[in-house]
Structure formats: C-alpha cells, structure tokens
Amino acid sequence: MAPLRAPRPRGLALGALAAAGTVAFAPFPAAPAAPTPVPRTGFETSHGARWTSGPEETAFLAAVDRASPRVRVDRIGSTVQGRPLRLVRIGAPAPKDPAAVRRGNSVLLICSQHGDEPAGREACLSTVRDLARATDPTTTRLLAHTSVLVVPTANPDGRAADTRGNADRTDLNRDHLALTTPEARAIAAVLRDYRPDTVYDLHEYTPKPPWYDRDLLSLWPRNRNTAAPVHRASTALSRYFVAPAAQRAGFSTGVYGIWTDPVTGAPVKQVAGDGQERILRNTAGIKGSVALLVETRADGQRLAAGPADPAGGNRRRVAAQRAALKGLFAFLDRERGRIETATTAARAAGLADRGPVYLGGADNEPPSPDRVLTRPPRAYRLDAAQFARVRAVLAAHGVDWRWDGDGGATVPLRQPLRALVPLLLDGRADDHLVAAAPLDR
C-alpha cells in the first residue's frame, strides 16, 4: 500500500452559506421574501464573550435540523442530572438508521468530554450548521460518501457546572472501558452501532511555557493493540492533515503530552498521552477505528489581544479547533478508500484469532514480557455472578459471548473485538472488570 499523502493547501469550505431568493410577479411590486435566518450559537451572538448555554444548544440544533434535510438530531441518553445526550447525524440526506451509516464511510466527533473545555464544543456546533448549509463541491462530495456523526456535548452536566468531570466527578475520558457513567455508555453504544471509521476527540489543555506551549496538539492511539494499518492512518491524520491545516491558519502545533526544548524542538519528556485502554482515542483504536485526540490551549486570550480581551482569546481557541477540523475533513475526502481498507482489515483480524494481546506498553514504550499475552487463551469463562456483573458492559461494547448452562457465559477471542476481551476479563490487565477463567487452546 502506498503511503498516505500530505494534502495540498486546500480544504473544506466550512461556512459557505447558500443565498437563494425568489422573484414574485404580481400587479403591484411585492415585498422581497425574508431570508431564512442563519442559526447562530450563543457563543457567536455574544462574539465570544460567553459559551453557548444548554437551552441555546437545544434551540440551535432544532433550528439546524428543521432547515436542512441533511441533518437528524437524536437523543441517545441522559446524564445523571437528566440533561439530554444528543447525536447529530449529517449526510446527503441524513442517514435514517445505523445500518445506512455502516454501508459507507463515517466519522464521529466527540466534543467536550471535559466540561471545562468548551472550545471544541463550540467548533462542533458551528461546524454542524456549516455542513448542513454548505453548497461548495468539496463539501457536497464529502457528504455524498461520508456520514458525519457528532456528539456536540459529551458532558452536559460538567459543561453546565464548568467542571472537568460529570455530576459524579468522574472523568469521562477514563471511563471508556468500564462504562460506569451514562455518558460513556452512550458513546460506547454509538461506537457499537455505527462502527465509525474515524473517531475525533476535541479537548483543551493547560500550557506550560516554554516547554509545552503550542496552539494545538494532537495524538493518535498509542495502545499497542491498535492494528498497524489503523495506527498508520491515525498518525497520518495528525501529521499530514490536522497539523498542516492548523499551521496554514497561523497556529503552532505539536504532539500532545510531549514537552519540547523551546530552542531545538527536541522532545524533553512525556507528561501525558500514554496507551491506557480506557482513554477514548485508545479505546477507538482497539475497536478498529482511526482515531485522534486534538487539544487546543485553554488560555487563548494570552495569544490574542491580551488579558484585557478574553472574548478574543475565546474566539482564537475556537478558531484553532475549526482549523484542525478542516484538516480532518480533507483527510476524509482524500483518503476515504484507505481509511475503509484499514478499518475493515483491523476488524476482520480478530476473526483470525492470531497474534499477541498487549496488557501494557505503548507505541513508544515496549511492554515488559509479563505484559504480553504471546499465546492468548481461546476464551474466558465467566461464572454466573461474574457474568451478571459485566453483562451490560459487554453488551454496550458489542462483545460476543455464548451462554453456559449454569447462568454463566464463555467469551471467545475469535471475534472483531478480540483485543478488547482480555483487557476486560483477564485478571492481569490493569483495568479488568472481573478476573475470568482463561480457557487454553
């Protein structure tokens, strides 16, 4: 397979709005038809002075849904405090069911898992509107072949309280394995039902000048269970599409979690961004999706007009996210065939049931021998009590099992989510749910 190409400096014309009018012939001059108002977020109407509220998001998405046949908004769950979790589906027209999405390419945007990181959410909301209304050929071609799925606010309770965690103070981006929260369960269900080819996770980070001081950082799945074709496509998305798109818009870029020397640019140390399977970019990679974490700096005002202009800083934070999204959409448009080939191969590999499973390490950190299952068991046996504890989680992930006569179950490794099974059920895994009995080959 030829290597993924770096894009030419062109991108999706997000924000291109149709301007159509009508002419009425009548005995007397007719008043011009009133143009359809363009839905705007609270962030946009305040010119960045405040973030879009929950009720404003509800009204905004409803207006976009009404105005475009490309858009469908569904409720996919509720938070601890009863706020809606929404999935926006965008296509040409909007896909009516998950099966329609699975027949083509799809991308899932997860926005603001951390409630105190709102810039990604604002970029997602305005992008939903712009994709729904755009008429340029690039966008039209993209939506003809790719379904865009968006969870615009993955942590509504945290967003309302301006907190990192949800109402139970759980960090959602550490819950994509155990699925203890309704928010993580809703995301897992979308991954299971739609099987997106690409998962794109939008965050913000706190810079540490001069070592950790870029406008936009990104990182692919580092978990070693990510299939090689998916890993290559994920790193290409970061290096050849997202980073260049941000740079063309005037933003500095880097790798998330890596401090660099401000003079030479050489890496100094790694402070985040490991291979933990419970983090969404890693979970998605293990499940066979191309994945990317994108983080913009949370103190945008320092790089805008100064501390006296917080609204300008907020606008810069959102602009950096939108610039990176242009790189994502260029990747989806230009590399659709390669993406589908990579994800299809990754999911089919589990059915072959060959090769090791890694309980630790990362793509830049070789695991110790005791963290590698060189000959994984053929299955794991759950007794009745264990199965009762984990059945709902297995179902939410889409893991296959076979009923046993005593109320327990056997979970085979020969399935598309092969690499996920030991991480959930092997007592040696860092975040296992139960220590099931391995059944040797």
Side-chain angles (χ1 to χ4, degrees):
M1 178 182 294
L4 290 165
R5 303 182 299 275
R8 294 186 292 275
R10 63 182 177 85
L12 205 65
L14 292 176
L17 306 180
T22 58
V23 179
F25 294 93
F28 300 99
T36 302
V38 177
R40 290 169 59 80
T41 66
F43 177 81
E44 291 172 323
T45 58
S46 70
H47 203 48
R50 61 179 179 80
W51 307 109
T52 303
S53 69
E56 285 175 328
E57 176 186 318
T58 299
F60 173 83
L61 291 177
V64 173
D65 192 359
R66 287 193 301 269
S68 174
R70 293 178 179 173
V71 176
R72 181 185 177 113
V73 181
D74 295 317
R75 184 167 181 158
I76 57 172
S78 299
T79 68
V80 172
Q81 295 180 344
R83 291 184 173 88
L85 294 162
R86 297 187 181 92
L87 176 68
V88 183
R89 296 185 278 161
I90 309 167
K96 295 182 179 180
D97 55 59
V101 177
R102 286 198 294 268
R103 285 195 290 272
N105 196 281
S106 61
V107 59
L108 171 63
L109 309 185
I110 301 293
C111 317
S112 294
Q113 284 196 75
H114 297 144
D116 57 355
E117 300 172 7
R121 170 179 178 254
E122 298 295 345
C124 284
L125 289 171
S126 57
T127 295
V128 165
R129 188 254 336 274
D130 293 349
L131 289 175
R133 298 176 63 90
T135 58
D136 62 282
T138 305
T139 308
T140 302
R141 181 177 64 246
L142 173 79
L143 295 179
H145 300 288
T146 303
S147 294
V148 180
L149 311 172
V150 185
V151 178
T153 307
N155 183 4
D157 292 349
R159 175 80 291 273
D162 194 28
T163 57
R164 179 179 176 87
N166 71 349
D168 290 335
R169 301 183 181 180
T170 300
D171 185 336
L172 301 184
N173 206 26
R174 302 298 183 274
D175 191 36
H176 293 290
L177 196 72
L179 307 182
T180 64
T181 62
E183 297 90 348
R185 290 194 293 273
I187 292 172
V190 173
L191 292 174
R192 177 197 65 203
D193 294 342
Y194 291 90
R195 296 202 296 274
D197 295 278
T198 305
V199 176
Y200 188 88
D201 189 20
L202 295 84
H203 288 260
E204 296 186 85
Y205 83 103
T206 301
K208 302 290 184 184
W211 310 99
Y212 199 44
D213 196 24
R214 298 288 190 273
D215 295 319
L216 184 139
L217 307 173
S218 60
L219 187 63
W220 48 90
R222 286 201 183 275
N223 190 281
R224 293 180 71 92
N225 293 298
T226 303
V230 166
H231 184 268
R232 286 195 297 269
S234 300
T235 57
L237 169 58
S238 173
R239 293 169 177 166
Y240 304 139
F241 290 87
V242 166
Q247 292 163 8
R248 288 193 294 271
F251 298 104
S252 58
T253 63
V255 176
Y256 177 72
I258 305 296
W259 287 25
T260 57
D261 186 287
V263 177
T264 66
V268 174
K269 64 177 179 179
Q270 182 171 340
V271 298
D274 55 22
Q276 290 182 59
E277 56 265 27
R278 58 186 183 153
I279 296 173
L280 180 60
R281 63 181 164 80
N282 287 319
T283 307
I286 293 167
K287 291 182 175 182
S289 294
V290 175
L292 196 68
L293 166 78
V294 172
E295 302 248 3
T296 50
R297 56 183 302 143
D299 65 342
Q301 68 270 17
R302 195 177 75 82
L303 297 179
D309 184 23
N314 293 341
R315 293 194 300 272
R316 183 181 176 89
R317 291 159 66 179
V318 176
Q321 291 281 8
R322 284 179 57 90
L325 282 167
K326 288 186 179 182
L328 168 68
F329 291 128
F331 172 74
L332 298 172
D333 182 41
R334 294 192 55 192
E335 303 295 342
R336 177 169 56 89
R338 296 174 186 263
I339 296 166
E340 293 177 2
T341 297
T343 58
T344 300
R347 289 157 183 167
L351 298 175
D353 192 18
R354 290 194 299 267
V357 174
Y358 298 95
L359 303 181
D363 64 357
N364 62 346
E365 180 188 359
S368 59
D370 65 312
R371 307 301 291 157
V372 182
L373 302 180
T374 54
R375 288 181 54 83
R378 64 175 176 82
Y380 288 89
R381 172 73 170 83
L382 296 162
D383 63 31
Q386 290 174 325
F387 186 52
R389 285 176 55 191
V390 303
R391 179 182 175 184
V393 177
L394 297 179
H397 282 301
V399 172
D400 296 329
W401 70 77
R402 297 193 299 267
W403 291 99
D404 290 341
D406 60 358
T410 298
V411 182
L413 261 67
R414 190 181 295 275
Q415 58 175 299
L417 295 180
R418 175 182 185 263
L420 186 68
V421 172
L423 303 178
L424 294 168
L425 304 180
D426 197 299
R428 295 164 289 183
D430 289 336
D431 296 295
H432 64 277
L433 305 183
V434 295
L439 301 180
D440 292 333
R441 296 182 181 275

